[in-house]
């Protein structure tokens, strides 16, 4: 056992260095968020704070309406996740279990949209949202993202792994597609649904360009846009900015920590069967 451990010591050392390199920006952010203004401006820079200085967080809440930004981001993220779960699961069920003419072609067209860069669709989406009067609204922030080819693909791959005998038994008992979908497929597919929910929540929470493009009022800003209001042209207080960044990071970090297992399990399961 000892010899085997020694054999893998170089590998563990490399992995430890890589982990520290990945975690360093986060450690730096949390450390500066707890520093006093004098510690944050010291040279050479301090690595760790001398104590826990929580006034940075209260100053952030007083300077910008970060609570409103957090609420907006939660509303937008939860709405997009709910829309993706509904549309993706329904479409995935149809592609997995309902035979119709041209199904393979339609599914290929859906997948081909994954190769279209998001930047290409920004202008058409912006023109559409503006023509509908959805600027500065939750509808404009959420509706363009309530369906995705990735979600359909992920859930379809998971649905294809369900035992056919179970579905055939349900049909013999007189169950229709809606009852099979709601009573059998969705409960069994909870890991895949959780995977999609975690993945989409993180993506939506971290959106920057689209909320910046279609929102003009501070009351509709999301956290990624609102946090930039802590920087001024004349000066910048690093401890305040990183205190705000810490508040913004906490929800996504908690989601990632509690949903990482489902995220990894769902993505790997979806890649088993084509």
């Amino acid at each position: 056992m000892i010899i085997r451990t020694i054999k893998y010591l170089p590998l563990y050392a490399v992995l430890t260095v890589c982990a520290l390199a990945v975690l360093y920006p986060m450690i730096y952010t949390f450390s500066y968020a707890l520093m006093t203004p004098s510690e944050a401006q010291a040279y050479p820079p301090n690595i760790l704070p001398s104590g826990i200085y929580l006034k940075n967080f209260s100053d952030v809440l007083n300077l910008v309406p970060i609570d409103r930004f957090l609420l907006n981001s939660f509303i937008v993220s939860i709405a997009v996740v709910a829309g993706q779960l509904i549309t993706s699961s329904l479409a995935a069920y149809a592609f997995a279990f309902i035979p119709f003419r041209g199904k393979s072609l339609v599914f290929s067209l859906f997948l081909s949209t994954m190769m279209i860069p998001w930047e290409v669709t920004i202008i058409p989406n912006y023109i559409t949202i503006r023509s509908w009067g959805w600027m500065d609204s939750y509808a404009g922030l959420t509706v363009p993202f309530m369906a995705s080819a990735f979600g359909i693909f992920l859930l379809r791959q998971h649905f294809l792994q369900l035992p056919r005998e179970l579905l055939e038994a349900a049909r013999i008992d007189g169950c229709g597609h809606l009852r099979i979908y709601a009573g059998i497929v969705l409960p069994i597919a909870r890991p895949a649904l959780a995977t999609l929910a975690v993945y989409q929540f993180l993506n939506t929470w971290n959106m920057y360009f689209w909320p910046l493009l279609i929102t003009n009022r501070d009351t509709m800003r999301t956290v990624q846009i609102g946090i930039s209001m802590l920087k001024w042209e004349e000066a910048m207080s690093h401890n305040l900015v990183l205190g705000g960044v810490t508040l913004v990071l906490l929800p996504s970090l908690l989601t990632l920590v509690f949903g990482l297992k489902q995220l990894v399990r769902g993505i790997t399961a979806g890649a088993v069967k084509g």
Side-chain angles (χ1 to χ4, degrees):
M1 185 67 180
I2 297 177
I3 297 176
R4 184 177 180 182
T5 303
I6 295 175
K7 179 181 177 181
Y8 286 103
L9 277 179
L11 176 60
Y12 293 151
V14 172
L15 292 176
T16 301
V17 172
C18 292
L20 290 175
V22 171
L23 292 175
Y24 173 75
M26 194 175 302
I27 297 172
Y28 178 89
T29 299
F30 293 158
S31 176
Y32 264 69
L34 297 174
M35 287 185 183
T36 63
S38 59
E39 287 179 328
Q41 297 172 5
Y43 186 85
N46 296 309
I47 299 177
L48 296 174
S50 59
I52 298 178
Y53 185 75
L54 298 179
K55 191 173 183 297
N56 291 328
F57 302 108
S58 61
D59 289 343
V60 169
L61 293 173
N62 293 327
L63 285 172
V64 295
I66 195 72
D67 52 345
R68 178 67 187 186
F69 301 152
L70 287 169
L71 177 63
N72 290 338
S73 288
F74 270 114
I75 292 174
V76 172
S77 299
I78 292 173
V80 170
V81 168
Q84 288 247 357
L85 291 178
I86 294 171
T87 59
S88 296
S89 61
L90 287 170
Y93 179 88
F95 283 125
F97 303 122
I98 301 178
F100 57 90
R101 180 178 296 181
K103 181 167 72 171
S104 298
L105 176 61
V106 174
F107 184 66
S108 299
L109 291 175
F110 266 90
L111 291 185
S112 66
T113 62
M114 296 175 64
M115 296 184 289
I116 301 175
W118 159 243
E119 292 76 11
V120 175
T121 64
I122 286 179
I123 294 177
N125 281 336
Y126 176 80
I127 294 174
T128 303
I129 293 302
R130 187 179 62 179
S131 64
W132 289 353
W134 284 0
M135 301 292 289
D136 278 317
S137 68
Y138 290 122
L141 288 168
T142 58
V143 171
F145 306 96
M146 284 190 171
S148 72
F150 172 78
I152 295 171
F153 173 74
L154 177 68
L155 295 183
R156 173 186 175 271
Q157 298 304 100
H158 188 85
F159 290 171
L160 289 175
Q161 299 178 51
L162 301 180
R164 294 282 177 173
E165 295 80 6
L166 181 62
L167 302 180
E168 291 173 358
R171 292 192 185 97
I172 292 174
D173 289 340
C175 294
H177 285 298
L178 184 59
R179 188 172 178 182
I180 294 175
Y181 163 79
I184 298 176
V185 174
L186 289 186
I188 296 177
R190 279 180 296 181
L193 295 172
T195 299
L196 180 60
V198 172
Y199 174 83
Q200 196 54 51
F201 182 90
L202 294 175
N203 274 354
T204 307
W205 184 269
N206 293 314
M207 276 197 306
Y208 180 82
F209 189 72
W210 181 252
L212 177 65
L213 188 64
I214 72 162
T215 58
N216 298 308
R217 293 180 295 148
D218 290 345
T219 54
M220 292 305 300
R221 298 289 194 187
T222 57
V223 288
Q224 304 301 333
I225 310 302
I227 204 66
S228 62
M229 296 171 63
L230 291 171
K231 296 186 293 184
W232 306 280
E233 294 182 1
E234 298 83 5
M236 182 174 67
S237 178
H238 291 86
N239 56 318
L240 285 183
V241 172
L242 294 179
V245 170
T246 300
L247 293 175
V248 171
L249 279 176
L250 286 178
S252 56
L253 285 177
L254 291 175
T255 303
L256 183 61
V257 168
F258 290 107
L260 183 61
K261 183 177 180 180
Q262 295 291 350
L263 185 63
V264 173
R265 181 187 299 174
I267 292 177
T268 55
V272 173
K273 185 174 180 179

